[in-house]
């Protein structure tokens, strides 16, 4: 009888502990202010949807709890840092995982960067080298695409509206696809096809998974799955084509192919990079140019530095590295190249068109 009583008490305590842990109201981040999950499975995803966007959700969260806050993305605890000073205190140059990458892989139902620390570190280095080498190898391409877009803008009357977001997305699609996947995307039709599939997948990542509407709509789900399958098929063909061969143009996939990765890892990493880079590049260029056009002081400083660094000479990677205000991340190369080609004569004209 005593043994049974001990067993019953132990079982009851374990049951209570499980309820306290699993029930959303009791799942909190120890020592970090924030909110508890509203649903056991989805965490605070309903709150994000109700806020209108992740950005609005985080703004409201930081206003309520301060510069460091926590929330639940599904069953995963997320800590958000809301100021640059706090971010600097927590930067870890040796980190081997990227939360954004982990989230995308989870939504795409890919492996979330499995493996030990050394394997994760190796994959991180491969991706970093892939970005650096593809930027250097495709510098002339980026300059050409930038000049084509800038010439198009300069052909507009000063009073004509410039659809900046649309143009930057097109520029990002053309540049990223060729840098990641090679000369196949010199064909505009291939870029258009990629952009269509990319848009389908990205829109569902941003909404369909978060609010659960994708699984409830069979038509949308099939469109999403077909688009993702077509993107994966293109990547598989390019991976197969690049293996064991040398090309004059180094692309991002080459760095992964030459690394010690299997085909599935190459596919996942190149897919994540392709999806995210197009959006990040487009948004970065859009906001950088937008802020530049509304600040005459920044225009003046940038113009003076460009004259000092470049003079009447050509735009080169070596000289770009000498530009102090714009040298904080590799992707800013897109922005630098975009405005530098004819900046000596057109900076103010672009500003007038954008205002």
């Amino acid at each position: 009888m005593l043994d049974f009583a001990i067993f019953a008490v132990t079982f009851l305590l374990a049951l209570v502990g499980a309820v306290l842990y699993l029930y959303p109201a009791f799942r909190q981040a120890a020592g970090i202010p924030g909110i508890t999950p509203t649903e056991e499975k989805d965490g605070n995803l309903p709150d994000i949807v109700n806020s209108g966007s992740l950005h609005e959700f985080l703004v409201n969260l930081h206003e309520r709890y301060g510069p460091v806050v926590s929330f639940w993305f599904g069953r995963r605890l997320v800590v958000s840092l809301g100021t640059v000073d706090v971010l600097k205190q927590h930067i870890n140059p040796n980190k081997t995982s990227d939360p954004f990458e982990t989230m995308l892989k989870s939504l795409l139902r890919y492996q979330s960067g499995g493996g030990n620390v050394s394997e994760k570190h190796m994959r991180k280095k491969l991706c970093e080298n892939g970005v650096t080498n593809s930027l250097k190898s495709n510098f002339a391409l980026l300059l050409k695409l930038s000049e084509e877009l800038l010439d198009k803008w300069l052909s507009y009357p000063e009073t004509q509206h410039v659809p900046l977001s649309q143009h930057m997305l097109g520029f990002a699609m053309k540049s990223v696809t060729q840098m990641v996947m090679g000369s196949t995307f010199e064909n505009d039709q291939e870029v258009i096809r990629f952009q269509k599939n990319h848009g389908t997948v990205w829109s569902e990542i941003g909404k369909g998974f978060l609010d659960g509407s994708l699984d409830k709509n069979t038509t949308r789900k099939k469109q999403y799955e077909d688009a993702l399958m077509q993107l994966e098929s293109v990547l598989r063909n390019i991976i197969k084509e690049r293996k064991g061969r040398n090309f004059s143009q180094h692309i991002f996939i080459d760095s992964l192919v030459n690394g010690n990765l299997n085909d599935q890892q190459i596919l996942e990493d190149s897919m994540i990079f392709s999806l995210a880079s197009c959006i990040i590049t487009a948004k970065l260029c859009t906001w950088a140019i937008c802020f530049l056009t509304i600040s005459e002081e920044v225009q003046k400083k940038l113009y003076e530095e460009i004259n000092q660094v470049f003079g009447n000479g050509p735009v080169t990677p070596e000289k770009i590295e000498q530009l102090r205000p714009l040298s904080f991340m590799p992707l800013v190369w897109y922005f630098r190249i975009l405005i530098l080609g004819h900046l000596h004569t057109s900076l103010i004209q672009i500003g007038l068109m954008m205002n």
Side-chain angles (χ1 to χ4, degrees):
M1 185 67 181
L2 180 61
D3 291 342
F4 176 77
I6 294 174
F7 169 78
V9 172
T10 303
F11 177 78
L12 180 60
L13 291 175
L15 182 61
V16 171
V19 171
L20 291 177
Y21 175 76
L22 294 174
Y23 192 72
F26 292 94
R27 287 164 60 192
Q28 299 183 4
I32 302 176
I35 58 176
T36 57
T38 54
E39 293 186 7
E40 179 182 337
K41 178 181 178 182
D42 295 330
N44 297 117
L45 294 183
D47 301 315
I48 296 174
V49 173
N50 292 335
S51 297
S53 68
L54 178 60
H55 171 73
E56 291 296 330
F57 170 77
L58 290 176
V59 169
N60 294 333
L61 202 61
H62 282 290
E63 287 179 350
R64 289 173 58 189
Y65 295 102
V68 181
V69 298
S70 65
F71 64 98
W72 294 85
F73 191 88
R75 295 181 183 274
R76 181 184 294 272
L77 175 66
V78 178
V79 177
S80 175
L81 307 180
T83 67
V84 174
D85 289 337
V86 173
L87 179 62
K88 288 179 179 178
Q89 296 172 22
H90 292 82
I91 287 178
N92 179 9
N94 298 316
K95 73 184 179 93
T96 57
S97 62
D98 185 334
F100 185 60
E101 174 192 358
T102 301
M103 180 185 71
L104 283 181
K105 286 189 175 183
S106 175
L107 293 175
L108 290 169
R109 297 183 172 90
Y110 287 161
Q111 301 173 6
S112 296
N116 56 39
V117 174
S118 62
E119 290 174 348
K120 291 179 180 179
H121 184 72
M122 181 267 291
R123 291 177 73 176
K124 177 186 175 184
K125 284 298 181 183
L126 283 177
C127 290
E128 290 176 350
N129 292 336
V131 172
T132 301
N133 293 332
S134 58
L135 279 170
K136 291 180 178 178
S137 179
N138 293 276
F139 182 83
L141 167 68
L142 295 176
L143 194 59
K144 173 177 173 291
L145 294 174
S146 303
E147 290 176 342
E148 288 176 355
L149 179 57
L150 195 51
D151 286 342
K152 180 178 181 179
W153 285 354
L154 294 175
S155 69
Y156 290 170
E158 290 187 359
T159 56
Q160 181 169 333
H161 170 70
V162 176
L164 184 59
S165 295
Q166 179 182 339
H167 285 188
M168 288 296 92
L169 182 58
F171 172 79
M173 289 290 173
K174 286 184 177 181
S175 57
V176 170
T177 51
Q178 292 187 58
M179 286 182 54
V180 175
M181 294 173 281
S183 59
T184 299
F185 289 89
E186 291 177 359
N187 185 326
D188 286 344
Q189 292 303 314
E190 292 293 334
V191 177
I192 293 172
R193 188 177 297 111
F194 175 88
Q195 184 170 352
K196 179 182 177 181
N197 290 326
H198 179 284
T200 300
V201 172
W202 194 261
S203 64
E204 296 298 355
I205 287 176
K207 176 175 173 58
F209 281 108
L210 293 181
D211 62 12
S213 62
L214 180 63
D215 289 328
K216 299 175 184 178
N217 190 315
T218 55
T219 301
R220 277 174 52 194
K221 188 172 183 179
K222 186 178 186 309
Q223 290 174 344
Y224 165 81
E225 291 174 345
D226 288 346
L228 182 61
M229 183 177 63
Q230 291 182 44
L231 292 176
E232 290 179 342
S233 177
V234 170
L235 286 171
R236 285 193 177 95
N237 290 336
I238 294 173
I239 292 169
K240 182 179 179 180
E241 175 190 353
R242 307 292 290 199
K243 275 196 168 183
R245 300 177 60 187
N246 294 319
F247 296 85
S248 58
Q249 178 197 24
H250 183 94
I251 61 176
F252 178 79
I253 285 181
D254 289 337
S255 294
L256 303 184
V257 168
N258 295 331
N260 188 25
L261 301 178
N262 59 48
D263 287 353
Q264 184 61 29
Q265 289 174 324
I266 297 173
L267 173 67
E268 291 183 6
D269 287 352
S270 55
M271 174 65 79
I272 295 298
F273 188 83
S274 300
L275 287 173
S277 294
C278 289
I279 297 299
I280 292 173
T281 301
K283 298 301 183 183
L284 172 63
C285 291
T286 298
W287 283 108
I289 293 177
C290 178
F291 288 132
L292 178 63
T293 59
I294 62 178
S295 175
E296 293 186 5
E297 181 181 356
V298 175
Q299 289 182 34
K300 181 180 178 181
K301 290 181 179 179
L302 182 57
Y303 182 83
E304 291 173 351
E305 185 173 3
I306 287 172
N307 276 332
Q308 178 182 355
V309 173
F310 289 93
N312 295 322
V315 178
T316 64
E318 294 74 21
K319 287 189 176 181
I320 285 179
E321 291 299 329
Q322 299 176 30
L323 295 176
R324 295 184 302 276
L326 300 178
S327 57
F328 62 94
M329 67 173 68
L331 280 176
V332 177
W333 276 31
Y334 289 112
F335 166 57
R336 298 172 184 167
I337 296 167
L338 180 67
I339 64 171
L340 288 178
H342 299 285
L343 190 58
H344 292 77
T345 58
S346 63
L347 184 57
I348 302 303
Q349 293 178 2
I350 294 175
L352 291 173
M353 287 192 296
M354 293 301 305
N355 288 333

